[in-house]
Amino acid sequence: MFVNVKKNTLSFGFFVIFLTFNLLTSCKSNSTYQITQIEGKKVGITHDFGENVAIASFVKPYSDSINSDLNHVLAYCEETQDKSKGTWQTNIGNLLAEMTFELGNPILKQRENKSIDICLLNHGGIRAIIAKGNVTTRTAFEVMPFENSLIIVGLKGKEIKKLAEFVIKDKKPHPLYGMKIYINKTSQKINKIEVNNQPVNDEQIYYVATSDYLANGGDNMNFFTESTLKYDLDYKLRNLMIDYFKKVDTIPNITTEKIILE
């Protein structure tokens, strides 16, 4: 009896190939998926929507720590500082400009061997009063909630005159220090401008402390954009305010006039 082994082996080989091919093609998926519905729900963490106890418990140590820092008393304010009380200058505006000069000037001297001549900030950047009584870290965050940094801009005297013209034309009590603008009380035309109690020299360079927002032309203060002399002191104005509160203990009520009617 003879067995045709070669023929049977060949047939079995074809069978294995055929079976493997079928398995591979059957595993290949041609299905496509589409999103047909999205569901969501509000998880309350406050009493407004039903407090989530687990989330509230998790957050509490962090919120307690933050509130402890924000409520830390730094100084005392003898008179409420308010930007709404004043035509050409306000006590809070005078305070902000003067503190910016006082803490910014030593840094500029140390780094660049230069001195700040003028400080100009913007009235709109003051977002809260400093109420009479204890002053806390939270106070600084309320007055200056933005992340603006202190920038020193070098301007020639002719640009300083543009700065003065802007302040008078804008008719807002922008925080100002180191500069006096004398105007006619009838026409409100500028009669004289002084920096450091001296008349402005058109060709002299004056160093103006301001915020990075204004240094880039914010609030239409385009005279700052004409300068290539800019020094970033890497000092947040809010941090500067906190440092000032720690330093002075009692906040002064500054009423010095910077815009003088003649």
Side-chain angles (χ1 to χ4, degrees), residues 66-217:
I66 291 171
N67 284 323
S68 176
D69 289 339
L70 291 176
N71 294 331
H72 182 64
V73 176
L74 305 177
Y76 182 80
C77 184
E78 293 184 318
E79 187 77 26
T80 295
Q81 308 280 315
D82 189 342
K83 77 171 188 177
S84 68
K85 296 181 178 179
T87 303
W88 290 107
Q89 52 262 318
T90 64
N91 57 359
I92 193 171
N94 288 339
L95 175 69
L96 294 179
E98 198 157 316
M99 72 168 65
T100 301
F101 169 82
E102 187 174 322
L103 271 69
N105 197 44
I107 300 173
L108 184 66
K109 279 185 176 180
Q110 181 181 16
R111 295 184 185 178
E112 305 294 339
N113 196 29
K114 302 180 188 304
S115 296
I116 295 173
D117 298 295
I118 301 166
C119 177
L120 175 65
L121 303 173
N122 60 324
H123 178 259
I126 307 170
R127 291 308 176 104
I129 67 169
I130 302 177
K132 181 179 179 179
N134 288 334
V135 176
T136 64
T137 305
R138 187 185 300 276
T139 305
F141 277 83
E142 291 171 345
V143 175
M144 287 191 174
F146 310 110
E147 296 298 312
N148 294 126
S149 294
L150 178 58
I151 303 288
I152 311 301
V153 184
L155 296 178
K156 281 191 174 183
K158 53 188 177 181
E159 272 80 46
I160 294 298
K161 290 180 177 179
K162 291 181 182 179
L163 182 158
E165 289 169 359
F166 172 86
V167 169
I168 300 305
K169 184 178 179 181
D170 206 39
K171 297 184 183 299
K172 293 177 183 176
H174 295 296
L176 186 65
Y177 179 80
M179 181 179 186
K180 291 181 179 179
I181 307 172
Y182 297 83
I183 64 174
N184 184 290
K185 60 183 175 181
T186 303
S187 65
Q188 294 194 349
K189 297 291 185 181
I190 296 176
N191 293 334
K192 182 174 58 175
I193 304 168
E194 290 182 348
V195 176
N196 299 322
N197 297 315
Q198 297 294 323
V200 171
N201 182 332
D202 281 357
E203 296 306 314
Q204 182 176 336
I205 294 177
Y206 299 90
Y207 294 96
V208 184
T210 190
S211 70
D212 53 350
Y213 170 68
L214 299 180
N216 290 318

